[in-house]
Amino acid sequence: MGKKSELIRGTSKCARFFVCDTTQVVKEVQNIHRLDAIATVNFGKLLTAAAMMGKDLKVADGLISVEISGDGAYGKMVATANMKGHVKGYVGNTSNAKLVDKDGNFVRDEKGRIKLIGDGIMQVRKDIGLKMPFSGMVALENQDIADIVASYFLQSEQIKSVVALGVKLNEDGSVNRAGGYLIQLLPGAEDDFIDKLEDKLRKIRSITELLNGGFSLERIVELLYEDISVFEETEDVDGNHKKKYVENFEILEKSEIEYKCNCSRETFLKGLITLGKEQIDEILKEQGKIEVECHFCGKKHQFEKKDFEGVF
């Protein structure tokens, strides 16, 4: 087992931030769901975004669910996360969507883009114990998960955000590095902070390159804030430049992220009971047993006639 996935969150005068290394979690996901390279990259990014959004829930038993429903070959994905750093999810079956045509060329939309995710929506549900869970959505105008998440925050929650998500694969298609950061402007803060930040991000290496370069999460935060919030003062007596932070930041928490499914035999049994006695008897007559597989972790549960005795 590799180094555990971790996340730090913090705040500064203008913004709050989440930075994470999700390498281990994305490796697990690729193995559990036996994902190909394209699915690993896209789903790995969605899971990374969900992990950061989950850490912002404020309620210990709250849950956030991020669902992408697009008409592309890789357009169906669900990721859920909570405040404890537990994430899980699955990639839906989109085998009826064609990635290549009969001549072996990529299928493109009217804008000439390859339809990996395609057109549709991303929906976010936050269940924080209220009667009605909060729900927001955004159209899939972009094919990159980070852009979709940034548009969601702007359109649904009116929060200006910078989102960077990365999954780098090895030549054999296995996961090399995965991670991301989410920086959000605080209410009343100057818009130009985000503009400066976006300008800065065009110049620095990607999150996966930084992680590969041995950068700790703390060092990455420092790097993100460095140029936009620091000016060089005059040289000190030894001729060294002194850095002065204008935008002080504070790290509030560092925690682990893990892929954790809470499925149980009892939950599946309750679900099966809702089918009703007639349908259950019919399946048992035909197959002798009922087997259910968890979408999230692939675990299989088997039920026989005796499991339903005394239920109806």
Side-chain angles (χ1 to χ4, degrees), residues 21 26 60 130 148 161 167 193 219-220 224 270 281 284 291:
D21 175 347
V26 179
L130 303 171
I148 296 167
S161 311
V167 176
F193 174 80
R219 179 71 188 95
I220 291 171
L224 294 172
K270 276 182 194 160
D281 286 346
L284 288 170
E291 186 173 88

Side-chain angles (χ1 to χ4, degrees), residues 10-254:
T11 185
S12 68
K13 191 174 63 186
C14 291
R16 62 212 189 111
F17 57 82
F18 304 82
V19 183
C20 60
D21 175 347
T22 50
T23 307
Q24 192 55 36
V25 161
V26 179
K27 278 182 179 175
E28 273 181 62
V29 159
Q30 187 183 42
N31 293 334
I32 290 168
H33 296 298
R34 296 184 286 283
L35 301 178
D36 66 25
I38 298 170
T40 301
V41 169
N42 281 314
F43 185 54
K45 287 179 176 182
L46 187 69
L47 213 54
T48 300
M52 295 189 280
M53 291 159 89
K55 272 288 169 190
D56 194 35
L57 278 170
K58 320 266 191 297
V59 178
D61 54 356
L63 191 73
I64 192 161
S65 161
V66 188
E67 183 172 351
I68 285 187
S69 306
D71 60 2
Y74 293 86
K76 300 269 188 289
M77 292 181 278
V78 177
T80 77
N82 63 18
M83 219 172 115
K84 300 172 188 136
H86 300 157
V87 294
K88 63 178 184 177
Y90 60 90
V91 178
N93 182 6
T94 48
S95 53
N96 57 345
K98 295 280 179 278
L99 190 59
V100 286
D101 61 22
K102 60 183 190 313
D103 303 320
N105 299 314
F106 281 117
V107 174
R108 294 177 185 270
D109 63 14
E110 60 281 1
K111 293 179 185 162
R113 300 174 304 190
I114 297 169
K115 284 188 85 162
L116 293 179
I117 296 173
D119 295 314
I121 59 161
M122 180 177 91
Q123 186 164 26
V124 175
R125 285 189 196 87
K126 289 182 197 173
D127 192 344
I128 49 170
L130 303 171
K131 225 176 227 175
M132 288 291 289
F134 164 84
S135 182
M137 65 175 71
V138 68
L140 301 175
E141 285 164 12
N142 300 289
Q143 293 297 286
D144 183 71
I145 307 286
D147 292 339
I148 296 167
V149 172
S151 322
Y152 160 76
F153 277 118
L154 189 60
Q155 290 177 41
S156 253
E157 301 193 15
Q158 287 74 54
I159 303 170
K160 271 199 168 184
S161 311
V162 171
V163 186
L165 304 166
V167 176
K168 185 180 190 302
L169 302 179
N170 296 311
E171 279 181 26
D172 64 359
S174 61
V175 176
N176 174 282
R177 284 284 178 185
Y181 49 80
L182 165 63
I183 302 164
Q184 298 190 314
L185 201 62
L186 290 171
E190 296 291 323
D191 275 10
D192 68 345
F193 174 80
I194 284 281
D195 299 335
K196 281 181 193 169
L197 188 58
E198 283 178 329
D199 189 46
K200 164 80 184 289
L201 299 182
R202 288 184 201 107
K203 296 168 189 157
I204 66 169
R205 290 178 292 158
S206 68
I207 181 82
T208 50
E209 283 180 80
L210 294 171
L211 291 169
N212 258 338
F215 277 62
S216 66
L217 296 180
E218 291 85 350
R219 179 71 188 95
I220 291 171
V221 175
E222 222 169 88
L223 186 70
L224 294 172
Y225 273 90
E226 228 162 48
D227 292 348
I228 53 164
S229 55
V230 165
F231 58 86
E232 297 284 354
E233 285 196 332
T234 49
E235 292 175 356
D236 63 18
V237 287
D238 300 321
N240 300 316
H241 282 287
K242 281 200 290 188
K243 282 183 178 178
K244 178 158 181 193
Y245 283 92
V246 176
E247 175 77 13
N248 285 326
F249 64 82
E250 183 190 356
I251 290 170
L252 301 173
E253 179 196 11
K254 183 171 188 173

